[in-house]
Amino acid sequence: MRVRDGDDGVGEVTAPPQHLVFAYYITGHGFGHATRSLEVVRHLVAAGHDVHVVTAAPEFVFTTEISSPCLHIRKVLLDCGAVQADALTVDRLASLEKYHQTAVVPRESILRTEVEWLNSIKADLVVSDVVPVACRAAADAGIRSVCVTNFSWDFIYAEYVVAAGHHHRSIVWQIAEDYSHCEFLLRLPGYCPMPAFRDVIDVPLVVRRLHKSRSEVCTSCLRLSGARRLRDAIVLGYQLQRAPGRDVGIPDWYSLSEKETGVRPTPSSHDMNGSAESSFEDFEILHGDMQGLTDTMSFLKSLSGLAGNDPRGSEKQTRERAAASVLFDWEEEIYVARAPGRLDVMGGIADYSGSLVLQVSLTAKAKCLICLCNWVFFINMFAQVSFGSELSNRAPTFDMDLSDFMDGDKPISYDKAKEYFSLDPSQKWAAYVAGTIFVLMTELGVRFTDSMSILVSSSVPEGKGVSSSASVEVASMSAIAAAYGLSIAPRDLALLCQKVENRVVGAPCGVMDQMASACGEANKLLAMVCQPAEVKELVNIPTHIRFWGLDSGIRHSVGGTDYGSVRVGTYMGRKMIKCAASDLLSESLPSCVPMQSGDTNLEEYEEHGVDLLKSEASMEYLCNLPPHRYEAVYAKDIPEVITGDDFLEKYGDHNDSVTAVDPKRSYCVKAPTRHPIYENFRVEAFKSLLTAAKTDGQLSALGELMYQCHYSYNACGLGSDGTDRLVNLVQEIQHRKTSRAGGPSLVGAKITGGGSGGSVCVIGKNCLKSSEEIFEIQRRYKAATGYLPIIFEGSSPGAGKFGYLKIRRRSA
């Protein structure tokens, strides 16, 4: 009904109108949307309503089916869909560029024009399939809107952003924001994740009306492809449907929470089938302890659902779940391992230079399930986008013959293994899992006579700098070791997993991530000296101190160019220092002068310290060089930048087995060399301060050390606008007047891990005010960038502490 003001200013309620005016916006991508929307339009017109169709599709699509003065066509292009070279090839970056020119650049003009037009036709309702700006224009005009679709452009473009880098990431957020103004979504079958919509109503499939009889269609289909293919297509269609609450493959950097758009998530099947205890009792635990971890209970419950699935039935489920349900012999013994992601508190990229590092093992984790069988088959069933196959253009499954890893009676080389997984980009993700098998074969001489089925599930978001890849590697190798009775200490397992990352995947990371995932413990900081991987101690986090992780939304990758070039620059600096120390040693201690007590040259020898020079000339880890020695002896001779060609000509090689010097490239050397030397000192000081007396001075000093680390990353070229913005927000809150009275609650922040995006670590008091300020930072970052950061908090045991579970399904 409508409410209008009467002459006396009192609201007057009128009877529901018999005639309505609809504004129906149809996307400009292909004819499919137009022909589907045509049926809705046809029924609305037949009911006597006026329908104004806003579309770039040809008029004949509508006028050949509908002949009525109630149908009005307005030719306008408000979105552009995808740019395709042919029916199967999409140019992702070009699609984003075209949308930017079509809908982003003229956005203000579009909104102004659409609001005026909607008011001019006195529209009662806006319907969209599925033009984003139509929902925003309707809201601005004070008109309700609904969408009718089974996919949305934020979902489609999110995959394009993942493939094309972070170009035009704001497009996805703008589209999601537009959709959030929609009153509700009429969701058609075969739908994709669409978290931007507030309310969802599932409806049957809407298609163009029949122009042939059922018998004619069946005869035609059977003649073209046969009954078997038709039946298989129908079965596959059922399997591709998604049940409420089982949407997967949403990019973590774009997933919308209730705080952003008021989305009310559909309760998942995990929440509707009773307690976890009743569900995981479908499995008998033969070995191990769940240690009260609710994520483990939920995981076992999800396995109960998989074990009971009939992939040929009509139950709606994802491709991954459909494949996983037939992957295992559920009557056999199954091994489950768990490995968490990590939050880098201090140390970061100094790990490969031998620094002390401090790491927290997060509650976000990867799970690996393994069963011995007759083939190797990897299922990529990830609840987050970290490894979401549908959105990341990655195959959901991977299978291989173990003989592919063998060259006669020996394993193939690491280079060939790396090449093997690089052949198909959609299956490169399998290197993180299958690579663990190859490393065990190569390094430990393990020969796998039985084959295996593996399922991996991870809640560690990818590209956030919280060790998504390390957690998958550690969980996978832990499960394989358990299944084959291999006794591998957590430290050794971490070193083997680092080889997976370095030699099979090709990412030049240090061992910090794998060590934290394998050796961490809940509520403690793992203090580790990376020479190569020695756990110094597990430091209790003081009860008055708390750490948070805040995701910037900017994708991080240790395989990226910046990370690799900084590592090369660091190793160049180490080589220069070693050569300089050798030269000084030669000058101070000529081979013709014997070292004897009372020698007149002894004072000259001691000037530089012969023993120090000897150790520095043979230095393996740059972090063993104290800052004062670096400044006093070597800093002045380290260049800011050097070309690869000049370095190779003068020094020969940088002596790093996992990176190579490009002769044609210039490398920053001074900042990458200085960073680990000072970072090791900062981490040592940080660790000592943690056990100091509880004072504001203690917290202030801890925060200052984190800030220094952050700006040292920036000097190396590993910063980003997003992480800088988050750190600046922490500083603004820390130093504002309202924080001075009782002392600030948040005291420091720094970029984490490999830098160049990802997350920041924040330190503060363990109090309610700190949590409120973290949420304030989250909101302010969203207001400035359109992206709502993920908050990481809490901790959980590493893979070594968890051990493994051996389970078997209970007999009926």
Side-chain angles (χ1 to χ4, degrees), residues 549-565:
L550 281 170
D551 153 46
S552 68
I554 298 173
R555 185 180 177 82
H556 149 84
S557 171
V558 294
T561 304
D562 291 340
Y563 180 92
S565 64

Side-chain angles (χ1 to χ4, degrees), residues 651-673:
Y651 297 99
D653 189 20
H654 69 322
N655 303 124
D656 180 21
S657 61
V658 298
T659 60
V661 177
D662 182 353
K664 298 180 180 179
R665 179 167 184 173
S666 293
Y667 292 92
C668 180
V669 178
K670 191 152 197 168
T673 301

Side-chain angles (χ1 to χ4, degrees), residues 352-397:
Y352 53 73
S353 296
S355 178
L356 174 70
V357 298
L358 298 172
Q359 309 295 306
V360 173
S361 51
L362 294 169
T363 53
K365 75 291 171 191
K367 289 272 180 47
C368 185
L369 185 74
I370 184 169
C371 176
L372 305 187
C373 60
N374 296 320
W375 66 89
V376 177
F377 197 56
F378 297 92
I379 285 292
N380 179 23
M381 191 192 76
F382 288 82
Q384 302 290 328
V385 81
S386 310
F387 293 85
S389 64
E390 294 177 327
L391 194 64
S392 302
N393 195 30
R394 296 173 183 173
T397 63

